[in-house]
Amino acid sequence: MAVFALLLVQSARCLAVGSAVFRPAPPALRRSPWLAMSGGTGGGSSNLEPSAGTGGSSSSAAALSVLVGCQGLDAEDSLLQALEADGLALLAAAAAALEDRPRAELSLTLCDSDFIRGLNAQWRGKDCATDVLSFPQDDAEMLGDVVLCVDVADRQAAERGHERRDELRVLLVHGLLHLLGYDHETSDVDAAEMSEAEGRLLGRLGWRGEGLVAAAG
């Protein structure tokens, strides 16, 4: 995936993972305002309709797009399309954090355990597979790349008693929040804030289970 290869070149200084210390994104992206509001996006409908367009009639709304690819596996088209829809819905839900951007892009990469193990070894010095890695970008359009390991997601889904799609959603939300500047490693307060944010975003996708931070205890 050409986009992901470019992100790897640009991302040596900013890598996040479920259990790793995260180097924050630019200040303009930190702490999505809507996540602090009880009404979600600020009084709008709770039913998100994913769209590759502007997501509304407002001239200030960012055009949203999600690029989905695979490394080391052949994923079903239906899964790729579902993840694209989830990514668009999440970007729309986080619109308040993107209001200064004319366009917002998110790159999602599904991979096998060997591929993410290589990334984990290269960028974190840990020779083992993990579930999700995030590469934030200091770019006017591209938020960054979220890498999701299907092999690990399948194992965790079985352990937690839900489907692959649900686990990938949990990992996607976690990875996206890292791109937006959330960090559960810095303090208990930050961990609680990220856990709450995960619950809100997952709720927008219709998932009522725990997010990754809450599941990790």
Side-chain angles (χ1 to χ4, degrees):
M1 183 176 179
V3 171
F4 180 66
L6 176 62
L7 291 173
L8 283 182
V9 172
Q10 296 176 335
S11 299
R13 66 185 183 281
C14 50
L15 170 65
V17 67
S19 58
V21 174
F22 170 72
R23 193 176 297 256
L29 294 181
R30 290 187 59 80
R31 302 296 186 263
S32 309
W34 77 270
L35 290 169
M37 302 177 183
S38 60
T41 56
S45 171
S46 61
N47 296 319
L48 290 172
E49 295 294 337
S51 168
T54 59
S57 59
S58 172
S59 60
S60 63
L64 309 177
S65 62
V66 176
L67 310 175
V68 184
C70 298
Q71 291 285 350
L73 55 81
D74 293 321
E76 305 90 344
D77 287 343
S78 59
L79 178 59
L80 298 179
Q81 292 167 1
L83 280 176
E84 180 183 11
D86 286 343
L88 287 169
L90 292 172
L91 288 179
L98 309 173
E99 59 185 3
D100 294 330
R101 292 170 175 255
R103 182 175 183 83
E105 294 182 351
L106 173 65
S107 174
L108 304 179
T109 300
L110 290 178
C111 70
D112 62 4
S113 57
D114 288 339
F115 184 78
I116 206 165
R117 177 178 179 178
L119 290 181
N120 211 20
Q122 179 180 359
W123 299 104
R124 299 181 61 225
K126 296 189 176 184
D127 188 18
C128 60
T130 188
D131 47 9
V132 55
L133 295 172
S134 295
F135 295 83
Q137 295 301 308
D138 186 4
D139 184 86
E141 295 185 354
M142 175 61 70
L143 291 177
D145 191 283
V146 176
V147 185
L148 307 170
C149 181
V150 175
D151 294 337
V152 176
D154 284 344
R155 185 182 73 244
Q156 292 179 172
E159 292 172 350
R160 296 168 184 169
H162 51 247
E163 301 297 321
R164 170 194 281 182
R165 172 81 183 280
D166 295 325
E167 184 65 18
L168 287 174
R169 281 176 158 178
V170 169
L171 299 180
L172 172 56
V173 164
H174 188 86
L176 176 60
L177 285 173
H178 272 307
L179 296 185
L180 294 176
Y182 284 81
D183 185 358
H184 53 92
E185 288 277 304
T186 51
S187 70
D188 290 343
V189 172
D190 287 345
E193 184 181 39
M194 186 168 182
S195 180
E196 181 182 1
E198 285 184 334
R200 288 177 182 268
L201 275 183
L202 287 168
R204 300 303 289 261
L205 296 177
W207 170 248
R208 303 303 176 189
E210 291 182 321
L212 198 60
V213 175

